[in-house]
Amino acid sequence: MLNELKSAWKMAIEKELRSYLSTDDIPELAIGQPPKPDMGDAAFPMFPYAKLAHKSPAAVASDIASRLADHPEGEMIPTGPYLNIRFDIPAMADKIIDKAIGDGDEYGRNDSGRGRKVMIEFSCPNTNKPLHLGHMRNDSLGESVSQLIKATGADVMKVNLINNRGVHICKSMLAYKMFGNGETPESTGEKGDHFVGRYYVRFAQWEKEVEKAREENPAIADDPSFVDPDAAAQEMLRAWEAGDADVRALWEKMNKWTLDGLFESYRNMGISFDKLYYESETYKLGRGEVMRGLDLGVFRREDDGSVQVDLAPIGLDKKVLLRRDGTTLYITQDIGTAVRRHEDWPFDSLIYVVATEQNYHFKVLFYILSLLGYKWADELHHLAYGMVNLPEGKMKSREGTVVDADDLLSELSALAKAEIIEKGRENEVGDVEETARKIALGALNYYLLQVQPQRDMVFNPKDSISFSGNTGPYLQYTAARISSILRKADAENFDGVASNGKLLVNDDEKTLVKAIADFPEAVRKAAAGYDPSIIAAALYDAAKTFSHYYHDNQILKAETRELSLSRIKLVKALLQMMKNGFLLLGIPYLETM
RNA sequence: GAUCCUGUAGCUCAGCUGGAUAGAGCGUCCGCCUCCUAAGCGGAAGGUCAGCAGUUCGAAUCUGCUCAGGAUCACCA
C-alpha cells in the first residue's frame, strides 16, 4: 500500500524533474528512507540532478517542491538535498488495519506465483544415522522457503530424496550383523535412527581396531578368518546390488528403523514432505540421458570407454558421466532424477536446498541439463546454505562434537520448561510440556533462519540460544502478550464505540501501521530471494516497536474508549501479521506463555 | 594453483539495487514490577565497516589488488 504510494511519488517527481531540467534523459530517481520518522516517510535524494540544473541539490529539492502542484497523497518536506515526503499515516491507518484483519491468515500473501509449479528438494538424509544440527538448518530453510513460495500463490511440491543405499549404509548393516546380537530398537528402547547410528559408529571403531591389530601383527591379514571391514562393506554392497535375499532383508529392516526415527524427528520439527524419493530406486537413472547426450553430440565417449562432458564453455574442466564399466555416478543419478521428477510433476521451477559445498556440482548439473535441451534447466536453483560451526570450529563426528537434532530439541525444551516453572506460569500455560516444546522449536527455527542462508554461522550452545533479546521466544512472547490484551478486550463492552485510525498519531503507532503495511512487500522479497531472514527481521522490528509502545501506552485503558478500541484494532492487525510471519518461519504461535 | 563464498562493536548477526549521525541482540555497567505477562522497558560504554587504491557530488555497499578464514576443483556420495 505504502509502496504503491511511493512509486506514484517517484513517477510524479521524475516527471517534474524532466520538465524542470528540460530533458527526458535524467538519472533514475532513488527512493530512500529518512533516518528519523519525524523527517518523513519517503526520501528522494536530489544530488544527481544538481549538476544538470547548475544548482545545489538543496535548491533543486525546494524548486521541485514548489513546482510540483499535482501530486499524490502526502506532504513535501524539502530537507536539505532531499525531497522528503510525509504521508498521513493516521489517515491511512484504518485501511491498512482493516485489510490485515480482513485478510486474516491470507494477509501478506500475493498472486505473483499463481499457476506456477515449484518443486523443492530438501533434507535428503542418509539412513545410517540420526539428524544433526546441519540437517536442521537444511530442514528449517527448506520448510520455510516452501512456505514463502506458497505465499506467492504457487503450487509447491516438497520432496525428499532418501539416501538409503551405498557403501555407508552397508557399514552400519555390517556392524549390526557382527555385533548386534539380535537386539532391536524395541529391545533397547532406543529411537531407531539413533540405534542404527550407533552401529555406524561401531563400524568406525571396528575399522580402527582392525587397523591397530594389523599394525601390531601384519601376519593376521593372511589368516583365513581375517576380515577387512572396508572390503566386507564393499562385498555387502555387491550382494545388495545383486539382490541377495538376506542382505536385502537386513537392509529393509534397518532402513525402516532409521526412517521411523527420522520421521519422528521431522514431526517434532514441524517438517513434512509431499513426496519421497529413494536413492535405491533412482540410483540407476540417468544412463539413458547420457546416451541421448551422446546421440545429440553434447557428450563424448573417451577412448577408455567412459563418457565425459566438456565443461570448457562454463570455464570448467571435463566431467565423467559414465564410468569405463558403464556404471553411473552421483551426477548421472542427479541428471536422471531431475528428468524423472519433471515427468512425475512438470514443475516450472525446481529448488535444491543443499549446502554450499556442492556449488560446483549444481553448476555442472544445471549446465548438463541445458545441454540435453531441457527448457526447464533455466529454472533450476541451488539454494546454497553455509555450514553451522561451533565456537571451537567445525562439528566433527570423529571427535563427537556433532550436535544431535533430537538431543538439542529436548535440551531446549527442558530449558524452556524450567523457565516456565521459574516464572510460575504453569497454570496459565496449560500443557507445560507442549508449550516448552513449541518455545524450543521457535527458538531453534528463528535462530537458524535469521542468518542469511549462504553464510556460515556459529552455533553457540551455551549462550547463542537464549530466550531473550532477538530470539524466537521474544517474538512468541510479544504475540502472547497481544493475545492476552485481545482476550481482555473481548470481555469488555465497546458497544456504541467506534474505532478511528486517525487517533493513532504517536510515533510508535505510525511505525506499527507502516510495519503492517510493509509486511506483504517483505514476503515478496523473501520469497523472491529465498531468504527467510527478511521475514525474521521484519517481525523482530515490529515486535520491538510494539514492546516499547506497550510499555508507554495503555491500550485497554486509554484516555478515551475510541482510542482504546482503535489501539485494540491496531494490535489485532499486528498480531495477524506476526502469526502469518510465524507460519513462514516455523515459529509456533502461543496464545499464552 | 584455479574457482566460488565470507571478513561490520568483546561475541552472534542486520544493513549491501551507492545517499542524511553504521544498527540490533548477547555480554558489561546503571535504572524500572501499587499499572493490560519483567521471556519486558529505558540508559551508558563499546566501530580504522580487514587493508590499500579506484569510480563517484557521495562508498560498509560498486571495481581492482593485498591480507585472513572457509568451501570446491574424483571414473566418492
Side-chain angles (χ1 to χ4, degrees), chain A residues 291-299 371-373:
Chain A
M291 293 307 167
R292 209 166 60 74
L294 276 173
D295 290 344
L296 287 169
V298 294
F299 306 148
L371 280 182
L372 287 167

Side-chain angles (χ1 to χ4, degrees), chain A residues 19 153 276 307 423 537 570:
Chain A
S19 134
L276 302 179
V307 177
K423 292 177 196 309
L570 170 66

Side-chain angles (χ1 to χ4, degrees), chain A residues 218-235:
Chain A
I220 61 163
D222 301 327
D223 190 292
S225 67
F226 176 78
V227 180
D228 176 76
D230 284 306
Q234 288 294 344
E235 178 51 35

Side-chain angles (χ1 to χ4, degrees), chain A residues 296-368:
Chain A
L296 287 169
V298 294
F299 306 148
R300 55 171 288 178
R301 191 178 287 281
E302 300 294 310
D303 294 341
D304 63 9
S306 66
V307 177
Q308 309 200 1
V309 59
D310 181 14
L311 301 174
I314 55 169
L316 301 172
D317 205 358
K318 284 179 176 178
K319 181 86 184 173
V320 174
L321 301 179
L322 276 183
R323 290 193 188 94
R324 229 172 304 203
D325 62 7
T327 52
T328 59
L329 288 97
Y330 180 45
I331 186 103
T332 327
Q333 298 167 31
D334 263 8
I335 294 166
T337 305
V339 173
R340 165 72 64 86
R341 283 178 179 168
H342 193 268
E343 288 163 6
D344 288 349
W345 197 74
F347 53 78
D348 297 298
S349 173
L350 168 57
I351 301 162
Y352 294 88
V353 183
V354 183
T356 54
E357 298 160 14
Q358 308 232 12
N359 284 350
Y360 172 85
H361 173 77
F362 283 102
K363 198 173 171 189
V364 173
L365 176 66
F366 298 166
Y367 175 67
I368 291 172

Side-chain angles (χ1 to χ4, degrees), chain A residues 73-277:
Chain A
E73 216 179 311
E75 177 197 354
M76 286 179 283
I77 334 171
T79 312
Y82 296 88
L83 180 51
N84 287 354
I85 313 295
R86 173 151 43 226
F87 301 140
D88 190 350
I89 301 291
M92 294 185 270
D94 276 329
K95 216 170 132 189
I96 291 164
I97 289 168
D98 288 344
K99 169 92 174 140
I101 294 172
D103 284 3
D105 296 344
E106 297 290 308
Y107 185 66
R109 302 176 84 91
N110 62 73
D111 275 340
S112 62
R114 181 81 58 212
R116 266 176 80 77
K117 300 175 83 166
V118 180
M119 186 179 276
I120 177 166
E121 176 200 272
F122 61 102
S123 204
C124 303
N126 290 320
T127 53
N128 60 358
K129 55 185 172 199
L131 302 176
H132 60 69
L133 189 51
H135 295 113
M136 294 180 109
R137 189 175 191 189
N138 181 309
D139 293 331
S140 252
L141 246 187
E143 187 66 34
S144 177
V145 169
S146 301
Q147 296 299 335
L148 280 168
I149 292 170
K150 275 185 194 168
T152 67
D155 277 338
V156 174
M157 166 87 78
K158 296 186 283 181
V159 306
N160 188 355
L161 176 60
I162 310 288
N163 298 123
N164 62 346
R165 52 134 254 136
V167 72
H168 54 299
I169 304 298
C170 292
K171 287 178 180 176
S172 50
M173 288 162 60
L174 194 56
Y176 177 72
K177 208 172 152 184
M178 303 218 16
F179 312 110
N181 295 320
E183 66 177 18
T184 65
E186 291 78 33
S187 73
T188 65
E190 273 167 294
K191 198 160 157 281
D193 50 340
H194 290 260
F195 179 90
V196 173
R198 202 153 51 74
Y199 284 99
Y200 187 61
V201 172
R202 184 67 185 87
F203 180 88
Q205 272 173 21
W206 178 39
E207 257 183 324
K208 251 183 240 163
E209 289 159 13
V210 170
E211 199 183 332
K212 200 175 167 200
R214 187 146 50 168
E215 264 170 35
E216 283 165 8
N217 178 13
I220 61 163
D222 301 327
D223 190 292
S225 67
F226 176 78
V227 180
D228 176 76
D230 284 306
Q234 288 294 344
E235 178 51 35
M236 190 178 241
L237 181 60
R238 275 190 291 276
W240 181 89
E241 288 185 354
D244 179 283
D246 287 347
V247 171
R248 285 288 178 141
L250 178 62
W251 174 73
E252 297 270 1
K253 183 165 76 173
M254 292 184 71
N255 264 342
K256 185 172 185 321
W257 287 340
T258 311
L259 286 173
D260 285 349
L262 293 178
F263 275 84
E264 189 183 326
S265 300
Y266 286 145
R267 273 193 302 279
N268 290 335
M269 289 160 55
I271 306 291
S272 66
F273 299 95
D274 300 307
K275 186 169 173 62
L276 302 179
Y277 286 88

